Amino acid sequence: MNNTRQLHELGQSLWLDGISREMLDGGTLRRYIDEFSVTGLTSNPSIFDKAIGSSTAYDASTREKARAGNSGESLFMELALEDLRRAADLFRPAFDATGGVDGWVSMEVSPLLASDTSGSFEAAARIHRQASRPNLFVKIPGTPEGIPAIEESILAGVPINVTLLFSREQYLASAEAYLRGIERRVAAGLDPRVSSVASLFVSRWDTAVSDKVPAALRNRLGIAIGGRTYRAYRELLASARWLKLAAVGARPQRLLWASTGTKDPEASDILYIEALAAPDTINTMPEKTLLAFAEHGECSEIMAEDGGDAEAVLTEFARAGVDVDALAIRLQRDGARLFVDSWKSLLQRIADKS
């Protein structure tokens, strides 16, 4: 059994955090599916900014769409969805084999809508229609303004990847939105089988506090937040409220580990992959991290359902002066701002190529 297959066998889906036209044209994604048990992928504005800016693979399509009168956001959406439809088709066998549990790709709404509830809902519905693939998630950030848009999207039958979650509390807010959307569908006599994932960002915690805590605490905060959130996830799946929905056919909103590439050059390059090996979750990892785990990773321990020592570790961070509640809010705001910066850079690249 290869290293990446270990994750699959313990019940964790392995997704790629990245996409490019070169990866599709050259057969790289096909190889990752066949050799590394990759069963999905995610994208975001930063990923497409890098892919389009560092390659000529999009130039001909960009010129063609520009001549046809497309520009700006609409031109980018067409470019991105061309890639994501191809990827979705590659993952369709996994989607069909698992009854829609696995085999997904993700496309983000414009980051400029992070504080626009109605705009996010309308954009999600539009992307879902335009993509015309059953295994494409639309990503909406789990900001306070995004939470109502997530609920309305689930009610409308749009599969949602909730992004930019940084804490147990932010995760639970997204889970509540998902549950309310499904409950409203059941009350209206609609099919309760609408899929969703909740993406908890991990490594950014450690980057934020790396120069503010003792050496013994470095690279431990993100994993502790993961453990705390995983416990809340398992408790929700065991709750009477969820079991009632499951009994009528609803699917659980799966917990997804995001931002799992190691940022500290002195730490293991597969730190977050090994620490976050947990059943019924997804780990979406950058290509570099995927290749590193395939080379020398192993699943020696599985995350405890109660989060293990997460609370004890978080107590140590509190003693060191880290206010995790305030930091979670800041990280979410900073994450939204960084995606806006990437979005603007991306649109400028497309305008230049056009």
Side-chain angles (χ1 to χ4, degrees):
M1 183 187 300
N2 64 37
N3 297 338
T4 52
R5 185 72 185 173
Q6 295 177 57
L7 297 176
H8 182 79
E9 291 297 322
L10 71 84
Q12 183 175 72
S13 297
L14 192 163
W15 291 5
L16 181 68
D17 188 27
I19 188 171
S20 71
R21 194 151 295 186
E22 291 172 322
M23 183 184 294
L24 292 162
D25 292 343
T28 301
L29 182 57
R30 175 77 264 173
R31 181 169 67 85
Y32 290 166
I33 293 170
D34 294 339
E35 296 182 10
F36 299 150
S37 303
V38 171
T39 53
L41 65 76
T42 50
S43 71
N44 60 46
S46 298
I47 286 169
F48 274 113
D49 184 34
K50 181 179 178 181
I52 294 173
S54 63
S55 168
T56 60
Y58 296 86
D59 291 4
S61 186
T62 300
R63 287 193 295 270
E64 177 185 341
K65 292 178 186 351
R67 289 194 196 102
N70 290 306
S71 63
E73 183 177 320
S74 67
L75 196 160
F76 163 67
M77 286 293 177
E78 276 299 326
L79 288 175
L81 288 175
E82 283 178 348
D83 285 0
L84 289 168
R85 289 186 193 105
R86 291 174 64 186
D89 292 343
L90 288 173
F91 290 119
R92 186 62 186 266
F95 178 80
D96 291 338
T98 60
V101 173
D102 216 336
W104 291 86
V105 301
S106 296
M107 174 70 190
E108 192 138 3
V109 300
S110 166
L112 302 178
L113 299 173
S115 299
D116 184 345
T117 298
S118 61
S120 294
F121 168 68
E122 292 164 5
R126 184 170 59 252
I127 291 169
H128 181 57
R129 288 193 304 269
Q130 189 175 350
S132 68
R133 293 295 187 276
N135 55 331
L136 183 137
F137 279 126
V138 182
K139 295 174 86 170
I140 297 178
T143 57
E145 298 85 359
I147 292 299
I150 293 161
E151 178 181 342
E152 292 301 320
S153 296
I154 295 298
L155 174 61
V158 178
I160 296 297
N161 177 340
V162 185
T163 187
L164 286 180
L165 301 174
F166 288 89
S167 68
R168 174 187 59 192
E169 290 71 24
Q170 291 173 4
Y171 157 70
L172 287 172
S174 82
E176 281 284 328
Y178 174 70
L179 290 173
R180 287 193 301 269
I182 296 296
E183 286 167 345
R184 290 171 66 188
R185 285 185 67 84
V186 171
L190 300 171
D191 188 343
R193 292 173 297 176
V194 180
S195 295
S196 179
V197 296
S199 298
L200 186 82
F201 284 54
V202 181
S203 67
R204 295 187 190 183
W205 282 98
D206 294 316
T207 301
V209 301
S210 63
D211 59 348
K212 300 177 178 64
V213 297
L217 291 179
R218 288 184 66 183
N219 301 311
R220 298 181 67 194
L221 182 52
I223 294 167
I225 292 293
R228 168 184 274 183
T229 306
Y230 186 61
R231 176 174 181 168
Y233 170 62
R234 302 305 313 195
E235 289 173 348
L236 187 148
L237 292 181
S239 69
R241 183 181 181 187
W242 168 249
L243 293 175
K244 181 179 178 181
L245 291 174
V248 296
R251 296 168 171 165
Q253 180 192 53
R254 299 175 76 199
L255 181 61
L256 180 152
W257 310 119
S259 185
T260 57
T262 304
K263 306 299 191 294
D264 183 352
E266 297 180 7
S268 166
D269 55 358
I270 53 173
L271 171 69
Y272 300 108
I273 312 305
E274 292 184 330
L276 299 170
D280 303 315
T281 64
I282 302 159
N283 196 318
T284 181
M285 58 189 76
E287 185 176 19
K288 180 180 178 181
T289 307
L290 167 68
L291 296 175
F293 191 84
E295 181 186 56
H296 55 263
E298 62 176 294
C299 299
S300 57
E301 292 186 24
I302 296 175
M303 179 174 281
E305 290 195 5
D306 65 358
D309 65 352
E311 294 304 323
V313 173
L314 290 171
T315 296
E316 292 184 54
F317 275 96
R319 289 178 181 148
V322 177
D323 183 340
V324 296
D325 294 331
L327 184 53
I329 294 170
R330 195 191 92 196
L331 286 171
Q332 188 177 69
R333 289 174 178 166
D334 289 350
R337 177 181 52 77
L338 287 171
F339 278 165
V340 167
D341 292 344
S342 294
W343 183 257
K344 291 178 179 178
S345 173
L346 172 61
L347 294 184
Q348 186 58 54
R349 288 187 194 277
I350 290 172
D352 293 343
K353 286 179 180 286
S354 297

